[in-house]
Amino acid sequence: MFLKGNNIEHFIANRKNNLDIIRFFAASLVLFSHAYPLTTGNNGSEPFAILTNGEMTFGELAVAIFFIISGFLITQSFDRSRNPINYFKARSLRIFPGLIFCVLLSIFLLGPILTELSVKDYFANRETYDYLKTITLYWLQYDLPGMFPENIWPGAVNGSLWTLWYEFFFYIVVAVLGVTRMLDKRIVLFGFILATALYFLGRGAFYTDLFRYFGAGMVFYLYRKHIKLNGFTALLSLIILILTARNGYFEYSLSVAGTYLIFYFAFASKLKFYDFGKYGDFSYGIYIYAFPIQQIMTQAFNNQITPLENFLLSFPVTLIIAIISWHMIEKQALKYKKASLKTIFQKKKIYVENSINSNAN
């Protein structure tokens, strides 16, 4: 009975999963983990860093979880659409509206309020406007002039955004493989093995490091008809993770055993949180807003705050802003996912004309 299980394809068809709560948990882990360097200056006392002898923090674990799930879902997305334009439109609408709002909020609201410079000097500083480049994902700027000068991490406004470029780059990789008809399970499996080998030999760049996780998610989707999810393999995966956490090589076991465990809990476990996301997907908002809020908390308490206090104070504020961002920005943008560009522009034109007529009357 313990060995019985269905393949991943079966669970995908069922359309019920726990992925929303897993992503929410991962985003919360990032916030919890960042509380340590932002209040103590390093990860020396971070619980998971201690558990793994410095091999990985909770924040790095959460990023790995994000990339694993993303590799699975993004590959599924392209496989179902087979249309690069619709694919990139959907991906862009999920990432950029929330990011743009976050960047503008940081520059034009948080900056003038929190900078040690005068408002005039703040807006006269070129770095203020250079921060807009962050919207491109590629030219990231982490500082705004005069922000958090006395904090343990002075100047840093949002250190979490660095992963977004890698995420979007892998979206491009999936699209290229799909268009060239190379989105094949054997090719992707080879890429995953190669990335893992390069990382093990110390020859890989950061792209190969993160692709070990994104690629693992891709492999699990492409082999969805062959991978069965059952309690015995899940327990074995958990044991492997525990052993490697204490004895090294956790990062390697995470990309295989960890990936299996993630999708077991997402699809096959008796834990059923299928309705968790019915009020909204707040994980992205938590991820992009947590860092500046944690910096604000650190500054408000003059660096006299513990990591746990930082987390407990920052989490509810971050969650509230994430909820607002979802309902006002992200959810509204996603309404255009299935609309053509022509339809979008027509709606905008009608909205503008109605606004003009309303003001005229």
Side-chain angles (χ1 to χ4, degrees), residues 313-349:
L313 289 167
S314 300
F315 182 79
V317 178
T318 303
L319 180 58
I320 290 170
I321 295 177
I323 292 171
I324 294 171
S325 176
W326 168 256
H327 288 287
M328 290 183 59
I329 308 297
E330 300 162 55
K331 182 180 178 181
Q332 303 307 316
L334 289 174
K335 290 179 180 179
Y336 295 103
K337 191 161 68 168
K338 294 184 179 180
S340 66
L341 292 176
K342 182 179 179 181
T343 303
I344 293 173
F345 285 123
Q346 284 177 341
K347 287 183 178 180
K348 291 296 182 184
K349 182 181 178 182

Side-chain angles (χ1 to χ4, degrees), residues 138-358:
Y138 189 75
W139 289 283
L140 290 182
Q141 178 176 309
Y142 297 106
D143 298 359
L144 277 171
M147 293 280 280
F148 310 120
E150 303 300 325
N151 279 21
I152 292 173
W153 283 81
V157 177
N158 204 330
S160 297
L161 302 183
W162 68 271
T163 64
L164 298 184
W165 161 249
Y166 294 96
E167 177 86 6
F168 199 78
F169 176 78
F170 292 144
Y171 294 173
I172 297 172
V173 170
V174 171
V176 170
L177 290 174
V179 169
T180 57
R181 300 182 182 278
M182 295 176 65
L183 195 59
D184 176 82
K185 56 179 177 285
R186 288 163 295 186
I187 293 174
V188 174
L189 178 61
F190 174 77
F192 166 72
I193 294 172
L194 179 62
T196 302
L198 288 172
Y199 182 77
F200 181 79
L201 296 172
R203 300 296 181 98
F206 220 71
Y207 289 95
T208 55
D209 181 14
L210 291 175
F211 187 75
R212 291 184 301 117
Y213 302 119
F214 192 91
M218 293 179 69
V219 168
F220 266 64
Y221 174 75
L222 294 171
Y223 280 90
R224 63 194 180 279
K225 295 180 181 179
H226 307 279
I227 300 174
K228 285 194 172 184
L229 299 176
N230 59 68
F232 176 80
T233 310
L235 179 60
L236 181 62
S237 298
L238 180 61
I239 292 171
I240 291 171
L241 289 174
I242 292 171
L243 292 176
T244 54
R246 295 302 300 163
N247 299 294
Y249 301 104
F250 179 81
E251 289 185 286
Y252 301 100
S253 67
L254 179 62
S255 61
V256 180
T259 300
Y260 187 93
L261 208 56
I262 287 169
F263 291 118
Y264 175 78
F265 282 121
F267 297 119
S269 75
K270 293 183 179 180
L271 299 174
K272 301 185 187 303
F273 294 95
Y274 302 153
D275 295 329
F276 182 81
K278 70 177 181 179
Y279 297 110
D281 182 0
F282 310 132
S283 57
Y284 183 55
I286 291 173
Y287 185 79
I288 63 176
Y289 290 107
F291 197 101
I293 291 170
Q294 290 182 274
Q295 281 283 64
I296 291 171
M297 293 300 176
T298 301
Q299 177 175 285
F301 287 89
N302 298 313
N303 293 310
Q304 302 300 311
I305 187 173
T306 67
L308 182 58
E309 289 169 338
N310 183 281
F311 170 74
L312 293 175
L313 289 167
S314 300
F315 182 79
V317 178
T318 303
L319 180 58
I320 290 170
I321 295 177
I323 292 171
I324 294 171
S325 176
W326 168 256
H327 288 287
M328 290 183 59
I329 308 297
E330 300 162 55
K331 182 180 178 181
Q332 303 307 316
L334 289 174
K335 290 179 180 179
Y336 295 103
K337 191 161 68 168
K338 294 184 179 180
S340 66
L341 292 176
K342 182 179 179 181
T343 303
I344 293 173
F345 285 123
Q346 284 177 341
K347 287 183 178 180
K348 291 296 182 184
K349 182 181 178 182
I350 293 171
Y351 175 79
V352 171
E353 289 174 349
N354 289 340
S355 297
I356 292 172
N357 293 334
S358 177

